[in-house]
């Protein structure tokens, strides 16, 4: 298969793939990926740890079911993830067994379609990341692209039409058993509480195969925009188009709108707009806010970070200060690693806020009320927290700046 990917196959269409999905080696490799990601159990409540007991026999049984056509995915377990704005995002949790098959299927299909994906697509692709997409946006803005089409696809993952997606896949995959396997995952039941229903559209968020399918379906739009000379940067269903002037931006938006209509998708009427960067208008993309030449965390990103810290720094937290800091340090480091290109004041303000939370805990332990303030700054100065190992974002930012200057 690797040789064929390099040299191409006749007509660009693959006819025999299912054996590469159910092979022992493919399923074993997929199982290792599922095992490393861990995750909760599906409707059968079987955990990764439980599957690992007797994994060799379970994988052989799974391989045989796939080979003979007896395999059928079980319903996904529907859960809801809280969002910063108070709403809840639906998430489907497949069984461990189904996650293994989806991973093996993705590993076979991904190289076929990856060869054709365009440079402007960044989401869920090998060797590409959100940071790469952000760097591209930043570069284009600094190169004089003064207008942005900020487009939002309404409920994309829940509304992908199944039949057009299958036709798109069939342009490169002619193995009926593989296509049937993909379809079985698109139409597998959803279990919510005691109620089960079958989706008529969409690819369930949480499914291993969904990110690849979402990229496959939007690939024709990527190609169309590239052919017409538009600088579109897309990360899954989050996309922006950087333009030189308003006329170009208007044409880009119309092109996207027309394509979405033909593809059975809808742009969100309130979240899709033209942005005049030169006039000081801003836009959000992948957690950042781009505005007036600056790049800072958007409000929802800040709120999500603060909520995570609040949960672990309540005044009633009974852990030792060192234990609390050991809990929040990975969160702070991870957040800083992604948002380190923000202005220095962002980190100064957040560092102050985190220390205030910690001082408030220490105040309560001294039978004092209210937030950490006033004399608390002398009682527990900034250096006190640094000496105890608290990760300080402003110090990390200054260190990075000094390293860049030195080189």
């Amino acid at each position: 298969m690797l040789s064929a990917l390099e040299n191409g196959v006749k007509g660009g269409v693959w006819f025999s793939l299912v054996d590469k999905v159910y092979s022992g080696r493919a399923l074993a490799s997929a199982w290792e990926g599922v095992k490393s990601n861990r995750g909760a159990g599906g409707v059968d409540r079987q955990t990764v740890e439980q599957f690992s007991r007797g994994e060799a026999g379970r994988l052989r049984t799974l391989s045989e079911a796939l080979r003979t056509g007896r395999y059928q995915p079980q319903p996904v377990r529907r859960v809801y993830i809280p969002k910063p704005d108070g709403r809840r995002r639906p998430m489907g949790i497949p069984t461990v067994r189904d996650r293994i098959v989806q991973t093996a299927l993705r590993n076979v299909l991904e190289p076929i379609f990856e060869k054709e994906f365009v440079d402007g697509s960044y989401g869920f692709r090998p060797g590409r990341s959100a940071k790469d997409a952000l760097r591209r946006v930043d570069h284009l803005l600094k190169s004089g692209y003064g207008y942005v089409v900020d487009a939002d696809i309404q409920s994309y993952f829940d509304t992908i039409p199944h039949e057009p997606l299958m036709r798109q896949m069939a342009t490169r995959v002619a193995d009926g058993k593989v296509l049937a396997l993909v379809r079985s995952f698109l139409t597998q039941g959803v279990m919510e509480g005691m109620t089960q229903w079958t989706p008529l559209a969409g690819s369930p968020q949480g499914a291993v195969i969904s990110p690849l399918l979402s990229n496959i379906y939007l690939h024709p739009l990527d190609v169309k925009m590239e052919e017409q000379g538009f600088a579109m940067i897309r990360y899954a269903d989050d996309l922006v188009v950087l333009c030189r002037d308003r006329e170009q931006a208007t044409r880009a938006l119309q092109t996207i709108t027309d394509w979405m209509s033909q593809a059975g998708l809808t742009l969100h009427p309130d979240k899709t707009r033209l942005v005049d960067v030169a006039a000081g208008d801003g836009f959000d993309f992948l957690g950042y806010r781009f505005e007036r030449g600056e790049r800072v965390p958007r409000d929802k990103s800040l709120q999500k970070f603060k909520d995570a810290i609040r949960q672990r720094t309540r005044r009633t937290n009974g852990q030792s200060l060192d234990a609390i800091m050991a809990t929040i340090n990975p969160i702070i480091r991870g957040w800083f690693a992604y948002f380190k290109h923000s202005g220095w004041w962002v980190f100064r303000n957040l560092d102050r806020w985190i220390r205030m939370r910690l001082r408030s805990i220490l105040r309560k332990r001294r039978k004092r009320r209210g937030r950490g303030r006033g004399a608390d700054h002398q009682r527990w100065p900034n250096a006190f927290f640094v000496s105890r190992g608290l990760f300080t974002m402003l110090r990390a930012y200054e260190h990075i700046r000094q390293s860049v200057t030195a080189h």
Side-chain angles (χ1 to χ4, degrees):
M1 183 174 178
L2 292 175
S3 175
L5 282 169
E6 186 68 28
N7 302 317
V9 292
K10 187 176 181 180
V13 181
W14 293 75
F15 286 88
S16 181
L17 290 171
V18 71
D19 59 311
K20 299 168 181 63
V21 176
Y22 67 66
S23 76
R25 180 178 296 180
L27 292 177
S29 175
W31 162 236
E32 289 302 317
V34 171
K35 186 161 49 174
S36 65
N37 289 333
R38 302 182 67 81
V43 292
D44 61 358
R45 300 293 175 174
Q46 184 183 56
T47 65
V48 169
E49 290 75 14
Q50 289 170 337
F51 189 95
S52 66
R53 295 195 285 270
E55 62 186 60
R58 296 181 193 277
L59 292 176
R60 281 195 300 271
T61 301
L62 193 53
S63 175
E64 183 64 12
L66 286 164
R67 188 186 68 80
T68 58
R70 291 184 291 104
Y71 170 81
Q72 285 295 326
Q74 294 177 275
V76 298
R77 181 165 65 90
R78 172 65 64 91
V79 297
Y80 289 89
I81 309 299
K83 298 176 70 173
D85 59 6
R87 295 183 299 170
R88 300 188 303 162
R89 178 165 61 93
M91 181 70 70
I93 303 178
T95 63
V96 173
R97 161 182 182 269
D98 290 342
R99 297 206 293 268
I100 294 170
V101 176
Q102 285 193 25
T103 302
L105 182 60
R106 182 202 61 195
N107 291 346
V108 170
L109 293 176
E110 186 174 69
I112 295 172
F113 290 95
E114 179 63 28
K115 283 175 64 68
E116 300 190 3
F117 289 159
V118 305
D119 287 342
S121 169
Y122 291 88
F124 307 108
R125 293 184 58 191
R128 288 175 161 241
S129 69
K131 290 183 179 181
D132 296 321
L134 289 165
R135 274 192 287 267
R136 180 62 176 158
V137 170
D138 196 51
H139 171 75
L140 291 173
L141 289 172
K142 291 176 179 176
S143 300
Y145 286 71
Y147 285 83
V148 177
V149 178
D150 184 6
D152 183 281
I153 308 175
Q154 192 163 352
S155 303
Y156 174 57
F157 281 89
D158 293 332
T159 59
I160 301 174
H162 289 171
E163 294 310 318
L165 171 60
M166 295 306 300
R167 288 195 295 270
Q168 177 69 15
M169 294 204 64
T171 62
R172 290 291 173 263
V173 177
D175 187 323
K177 291 183 178 180
V178 165
L179 292 176
L181 196 55
V182 172
R183 186 184 291 277
S184 73
F185 286 122
L186 290 173
T187 59
Q188 69 187 120
V190 177
M191 183 70 75
E192 187 169 357
M194 299 300 293
T195 304
Q196 181 176 331
W197 51 277
T198 301
L200 301 177
S203 184
Q205 296 188 56
V208 177
I209 197 75
S210 285
L212 174 61
L213 298 182
S214 73
N215 276 336
I216 291 172
Y217 196 60
L218 288 178
H219 174 63
L221 173 63
D222 296 337
V223 173
K224 188 179 188 70
M225 296 298 285
E226 187 177 74
E227 288 177 345
Q228 296 191 15
F230 294 118
M232 185 170 83
I233 296 90
R234 182 177 67 80
Y235 192 95
D237 59 337
D238 201 351
L239 63 93
V240 291
V241 187
L242 281 293
C243 302
R244 291 286 189 183
D245 52 47
R246 179 175 288 277
E247 180 185 357
Q248 186 185 37
T250 302
R251 285 192 291 109
L253 178 56
Q254 189 61 54
T255 300
I256 295 173
T257 302
D258 292 344
W259 188 91
M260 292 288 172
S261 177
Q262 295 170 6
L265 301 172
T266 306
L267 290 177
H268 198 295
D270 300 324
K271 297 181 180 179
T272 299
R273 62 200 181 97
L274 295 184
V275 178
D276 184 350
V277 177
D281 295 339
F283 65 96
D284 295 337
F285 187 59
L286 299 181
Y288 272 94
R289 176 75 177 174
F290 291 85
E291 189 170 10
R292 299 184 185 279
E294 299 288 350
R295 179 173 153 187
V296 297
R298 68 173 187 163
D299 291 343
K300 286 184 179 179
S301 301
L302 285 170
Q303 187 62 46
K304 186 175 181 180
F305 172 73
K306 285 189 170 184
D307 286 345
I309 298 299
R310 280 193 186 97
Q311 290 176 8
R312 294 159 178 82
T313 56
R314 302 185 190 281
R315 282 165 50 84
T316 54
N317 191 316
Q319 293 180 302
S320 68
L321 181 65
D322 290 345
I324 294 171
M325 290 194 296
T327 301
I328 65 174
N329 269 342
I331 299 171
I332 302 170
R333 285 196 182 95
W335 195 87
F336 174 78
Y338 188 78
F339 290 103
K340 63 185 177 184
H341 298 289
S342 304
W344 62 271
W345 61 91
V346 172
F347 308 120
R348 177 200 62 189
N349 293 341
L350 286 174
D351 283 340
R352 288 175 174 173
W353 179 79
I354 292 169
R355 287 192 295 264
M356 179 275 292
R357 301 281 305 178
L358 296 176
R359 288 185 179 109
S360 296
I361 293 173
L362 295 174
R363 275 180 66 86
K364 181 171 177 58
R365 292 176 182 178
R366 292 200 172 193
K367 309 300 183 183
R368 298 173 184 271
R369 296 181 178 179
R371 292 183 172 185
R373 61 185 185 274
D376 293 330
H377 291 267
Q378 285 75 48
R379 188 176 293 113
W380 301 294
N382 296 351
F384 167 79
F385 297 103
V386 173
S387 68
R388 301 291 287 268
L390 179 65
F391 180 81
T392 306
M393 287 187 279
L394 184 57
R395 287 166 62 95
Y397 175 81
E398 291 172 344
H399 178 73
I400 291 174
R401 299 290 293 180
Q402 291 169 1
S403 298
V404 170
T405 303
H407 289 85

